[in-house]
Amino acid sequence: MNIQDALPRLRNSLVFFVTLSGRAPSLSFRPLRTSSTSQSVWRCPVMSGRHNNKLPTNLPQLQNLIKRDPRSYTEEFLQQFRHYQSNIQIFKHQPDKPNKDLAELVMFLAQVGHCYLEELSSFPKELTELLLNHHTVLEPDLRMTFCKALILLRNKDLIDPTSLLELFFELLRCHDKLLRKTLYTHIVTDIKNINAKHKNNRLNTTLQNFMYTMLRDSNPIAAKISLDVIVELYKRNIWNDAKTVNVITTACFSKVTKILVAALTFFLGKDEDEKKDSDSESEDGPSARDLMVRYSTGKKTSKNKKKLEKAMKVLKKHKKKRKVEVFNFSAIHLIHDPQDFAEKLLKELESSKERFEVKIMLMEFISRLVGIHELILFNFYPFVQRFLQPHQREVTKILLCAAQSAHHLVPPEIIEPVIMTIANNFVTDRNSGEVMTVGLNSIKEIVARCPLSMSEDLLQDLAQYKSHKDKNVVMSARGLIQLFRELNPHMLHRKDRGKPTESSAEARIQDYGELEAKDYIPGAEVLELEEEPKGDDDDEDGWESASMSEDEDDGEWVNVHHSSDEDQEEVAEKLQSIPAEERKAKAAVVSASRLLTQDDFKKIRLAQMAKDVNAAPGKGQKRKKADSDEEERGELLTLRDIERLHKKPKSDKETRLATALAGRTDRKEFVKKKTKLNPYASTSNKEKRKKKNFMMMRQSQTVRTKGKRSFREKQSAAAEMFKRRVRREKHLPVKAAFYSRNKWSSLCW
């Protein structure tokens, strides 16, 4: 066989060998076509160089093969590792220059780091030192590559998390937004994974101490991201202890506005339970009506109008996003020494030179601290009182702060000037209905928390607004009257006290500092009255009789007696005949002699509700407390409580006109369409007469004789017009063509 015929077969055998083994051969044959002859000459590439074996330079292929069989490719790996070491030496001389080969080699070594632990034992430490020494001058892409390599090694558990996280916090000072975002994501994810199965308290304590120093860092960017990391970990219930919360409180005294706002936003978050119980509008933020109320309580200016339009646009954009926020509001309860913390915040607020929005946030936070922890902070109320004017910007939030900071431990003489200021500035006839409504709602919320601050004369004056012309003012005044029907009806006029009930007779406002401690459960006396007498038989006989009755009935329905509202009314009537002292004694005996079940507590609640229902004989029953409009007050107030409007505010002329025009867009089908037979034809004399000036037409015969026609002439003219219309519609296509032909012929002549 000729050598040229045998070479193709040899080449095919080598290709088959490569396919089976997965290794590139050291020899291969390629055809070489010469210029003198057309025959192909096969030659071995040993003399011409090695071209097809690209394994040492093809790092992705080498990486794949090493992961499958590390021992077989140790030589190729060592070759690349030596290449990496030489590139590192070059990089140290010029750290600010880009180096693509070094970036590829670093990622290659990070990918195969778990395969050669001994050879790459110093590789993570070397990368860490390079980043620590040269992170300020490194080229951004190369710096990102180094960080990604370290993240990859951390995911393979080849680096200690403490040293790596401390390095990443140091790198947050770099002016590279993408790098900071990547590091932030890794820090949060890594700490979450560390505490996934059980909390690593030792590591958490170390990192928390380090972050405490980072919050005081001179670089505002690094401090802000460190605060964001702590807040995110608290939201995810990873670091939700008191130490984390008190670390965040140090950020409230930061001189950097962004850090201060981030810390205040964390503490002013909404409670999850409150968001679940609220309606859909409050879940997505303020509604359009809330914004209209907020900007209509001030002075009617074009500036406020523009602000309202801008707020409406922002609201529309926010509703599209519908991003749900989740906060665990127990953060305020975990603050150590809230009294000292609130005093420092108030001192910071009084000397603050921040924007007004930031001051409002500080006021809200202080008011929540005072209201939740029942602190004594007398200087806060005169400070808030200065801003209680209808023309003040964000006045509804300031009113909310005044109401939130009131509680029963504050002396009445401290709260009373605040109430008088609101009454004098808001609840007057010279203001609009919305302003008066906001003022009455604020007074109601303050008095609900500190009832002793309301005087009898002021209450009776405010109750007179129940007959105001504005519906919102009327409903707010009625709400204030209803509040004092429950607290102390004797402070109201006799006509405003309502129908006397058993609970209103017992209502009394406690004195300042008075506490009423009861050694029994109120309403427990109803349990003794409802107990049925026991039979003469023992318990075993009772069980036997019950089983016998079931056998005798054999599948028939058995009537079981349940406690209903009628039974509760009968029990309440029986209790009314018993003196109060005797009822208290029975309740004390029942509370001390037995364990109460959930059914027992339900009966007690129904009996207590019956006290609100029972009235004088011959009168209709009132609504039960469970069906009333008043909601239970929690620890926090919302703007909804201050801006509560029972009737939609009247819109102005521009809004009504825009609504009318918007409703006319879909009425094109009802508009009369005037079409010409020939679109190029001119108007007729009849159409021209319609557009003529009347002074030109008043002397015409048609106008002068129009009013002199008799009824018969008008009737015949109408009949003739109807006949012409019928004939025209019957021969419409023919007449249109005839008219068009004659028109163009006349134009030609």
Side-chain angles (χ1 to χ4, degrees), residues 426-450:
F426 288 83
V427 193
T428 57
D429 291 329
R430 65 177 179 270
N431 292 330
S432 62
E434 289 84 1
V435 177
M436 297 176 66
T437 304
V438 168
L440 285 171
N441 291 337
S442 304
I443 293 175
K444 175 188 171 185
E445 296 298 335
I446 293 175
V447 173
R449 285 159 172 75
C450 188

Side-chain angles (χ1 to χ4, degrees), residues 590-628:
V590 173
S591 302
S593 61
R594 56 181 293 187
L595 296 176
L596 303 183
T597 62
Q598 292 297 327
D599 294 336
D600 295 337
F601 282 111
K602 184 178 179 181
K603 294 174 184 177
I604 292 174
R605 284 195 297 268
L606 291 174
Q608 293 297 102
M609 286 170 55
K611 293 182 179 180
D612 295 329
V613 179
N614 294 334
K619 298 294 182 84
Q621 289 186 347
K622 293 176 62 178
R623 290 184 303 171
K624 294 184 179 181
K625 195 170 185 179
D627 300 331
S628 61

Side-chain angles (χ1 to χ4, degrees), residues 502 520-530 571 575 578 582-588 590-591 604 607-608 611:
E502 187 178 354
Y520 64 94
I521 300 175
E525 64 273 8
V526 71
L527 300 178
E528 186 179 0
L529 292 174
E530 284 192 346
V571 173
L575 290 175
I578 302 176
E582 187 176 350
R583 276 187 287 173
K584 290 182 180 178
K586 287 187 175 183
V590 173
S591 302
I604 292 174
Q608 293 297 102
K611 293 182 179 180

Side-chain angles (χ1 to χ4, degrees), residues 56-90:
T57 58
N58 191 355
L59 293 180
Q61 182 184 0
L62 180 59
Q63 169 188 321
N64 184 23
L65 296 173
I66 287 177
K67 288 182 178 180
R68 294 182 180 181
D69 188 6
R71 295 183 179 179
S72 301
Y73 296 92
T74 306
E75 296 181 1
E76 286 82 354
F77 165 75
L78 293 176
Q79 180 182 355
Q80 299 300 330
F81 185 65
R82 288 191 294 269
H83 190 198
Y84 157 77
Q85 291 176 341
S86 60
N87 276 277
I88 285 294
Q89 298 299 325
I90 299 173

